Amino acid sequence: MALGAPRRSCLSVPGSSEKMLSKAPSLPQDQCFLDLEDSVAPLEKEAARNLVIKAINDQDWGTKTLGVRVNAWDTKYTYRDVATVVEGAGERLDFIMLPKVQTASEVRALDMMLTQIETTMQIGSRIGIEAQIENAKGLVNVDEICAASDRLEAVIFGPGDFAASLGMPHLTVGEMQDASYPGDHWHYVLMRILMAGRANNLQVIDGPYAQIRDLDGFRTVSVRAQTLGFDGKWALNPAQVDILNDVFTPSQAAFERAQDILSAYRQATQVDRVGAVMFNDEMIDEATRKMAEKVSAKGLAAGLKYAGRTERESSN
């Protein structure tokens, strides 16, 4: 799977639930990860590995980015999670998600293990890594973590464990800020992870919102992540997927404006040979081009089509 594959909606599927594993391929999420960690009871973890392998191999996942979240290195499950799943389903696996990452060495250890399994099993594709930042130590080391391996494709914020790590008085994963606090209590953490991810050309994903029936609240926190520049967010329930695909896709108007800006800037720089030009009532330059390219790329990845200014004007 290409590093830049869309991750607007990242659906978490418990690896111990045959019902949810069978339903997931039919849903419209960009990415799906089959979970062996927090959503699976300790006594079910070993059995869940085989359910996950069967689901990966026997079902049609289409073009979805597909991965497995293993257990963290500080548990007894990790090495067997990785070995069993990658040996059993490595040809269709796009990534392994590593939770509760605290140091770069944890990512490098997973990288080396994947290399050995791929070589031994003669797996044709290279499996990526996604790293979750879920505690204070992970955030302190986030720059080194994001630079630890060229297998890394995405870095993810984990709000539940992070709240516990800091001693925040939260009882709901991913909940909105308390009205008694004058700002967004997650703003620093979100921006810190975003900076480290972008500095290393990674996609950056916001974590879950556990109030799955509160779709208005979910949209609010999703818009916050999108506004900051995140590429996507987790869904814990199918009802959240459509909201994410909407929030993290540029509007048709924004997409067309971005394309118009790029066209006008090409004319200015390549034909008229000027570095800045008026576009309607706005001065555009190289910085504007970079912003427009980001919006354009996200729109194209989501399947938006550009009609062109001339065609749009003639139809009005």
Side-chain angles (χ1 to χ4, degrees):
M1 182 64 63
L3 178 62
R7 286 179 170 88
R8 299 169 301 173
S9 48
C10 305
L11 181 64
S12 173
V13 181
S16 56
S17 172
E18 294 184 74
K19 178 181 178 181
M20 296 184 71
L21 288 169
S22 65
K23 182 178 181 180
S26 66
L27 300 172
Q29 71 275 7
D30 289 338
Q31 172 177 295
C32 194
F33 67 92
L34 314 184
D35 190 26
L36 295 175
E37 199 216 10
D38 284 351
S39 68
V40 178
L43 294 179
E44 295 297 321
K45 287 186 183 293
E46 293 186 12
R49 294 173 188 144
N50 292 325
L51 292 178
V52 163
I53 291 170
K54 187 176 188 303
I56 294 171
N57 290 333
D58 294 354
Q59 298 183 162
D60 182 6
W61 296 91
T63 60
K64 297 183 195 307
T65 305
L66 181 62
V68 172
R69 180 168 72 160
V70 298
N71 288 275
W73 277 121
D74 62 356
T75 72
K76 67 178 183 180
Y77 305 105
T78 318
Y79 89 96
R80 183 49 59 195
D81 284 347
V82 176
T84 302
V85 170
V86 177
E87 288 177 1
E91 291 290 350
R92 180 57 184 90
L93 262 181
D94 293 312
F95 66 92
I96 291 291
M97 184 185 297
L98 185 63
K100 300 177 178 64
V101 178
Q102 300 186 81
T103 65
S105 61
E106 296 175 17
V107 175
R108 289 194 288 266
L110 178 58
D111 185 336
M112 287 188 288
M113 190 172 181
L114 288 172
T115 298
Q116 291 185 359
I117 299 171
E118 288 168 349
T119 301
T120 301
M121 301 300 296
Q122 298 183 330
I123 296 172
S125 58
R126 195 164 190 251
I127 297 168
I129 295 174
E130 297 188 1
Q132 280 188 275
I133 305 300
E134 302 188 73
N135 55 41
K137 187 173 181 179
L139 190 67
V140 168
N141 294 323
V142 69
D143 292 310
E144 292 81 7
I145 290 168
C146 287
S149 167
D150 61 4
R151 287 185 188 266
L152 269 172
E153 298 180 356
V155 60
I156 306 154
F157 171 49
D161 282 282
F162 212 109
S165 168
L166 297 186
M168 289 180 167
H170 293 196
L171 290 174
T172 299
V173 174
E175 66 181 334
M176 296 291 292
Q177 60 264 31
D178 191 315
S180 65
Y181 183 72
D184 183 348
H185 61 285
W186 286 129
H187 184 76
Y188 169 76
V189 178
L190 291 168
M191 290 302 292
R192 187 68 189 85
I193 293 172
L194 182 66
M195 293 302 105
R198 288 291 186 257
N200 290 279
N201 298 314
L202 304 180
Q203 292 198 40
V204 187
I205 309 300
D206 192 15
Y209 182 71
Q211 294 177 320
I212 58 175
R213 292 185 177 86
D214 179 15
L215 297 182
D216 289 338
F218 181 71
R219 180 175 287 273
T220 297
V221 294
S222 300
V223 168
R224 174 187 65 182
Q226 187 272 340
T227 300
L228 292 178
F230 278 60
D231 296 287
K233 183 174 173 64
W234 279 17
L236 299 180
N237 184 278
Q240 295 178 330
V241 171
D242 287 336
I243 293 174
L244 292 177
N245 289 343
D246 177 51
V247 168
F248 286 94
T249 299
S251 68
Q252 185 66 34
F255 174 69
E256 290 177 349
R257 175 173 168 77
Q259 297 289 68
D260 291 344
I261 287 172
L262 292 173
S263 178
Y265 191 67
R266 282 194 297 270
Q267 171 70 30
T269 56
Q270 298 176 19
V271 179
D272 302 334
R273 299 194 176 190
V274 295
V277 66
M278 290 299 296
F279 176 76
N280 297 332
D281 294 327
E282 178 183 353
M283 179 69 74
I284 62 173
D285 58 11
E286 176 63 11
T288 317
R289 180 195 65 78
K290 292 176 182 176
M291 293 189 293
E293 277 196 340
K294 295 294 185 182
V295 174
S296 173
K298 289 182 178 181
L300 291 170
L304 298 185
K305 305 296 183 183
Y306 176 58
R309 294 184 73 184
T310 303
E311 183 177 339
R312 295 203 308 274
E313 290 166 358
S314 65
S315 65
N316 292 333

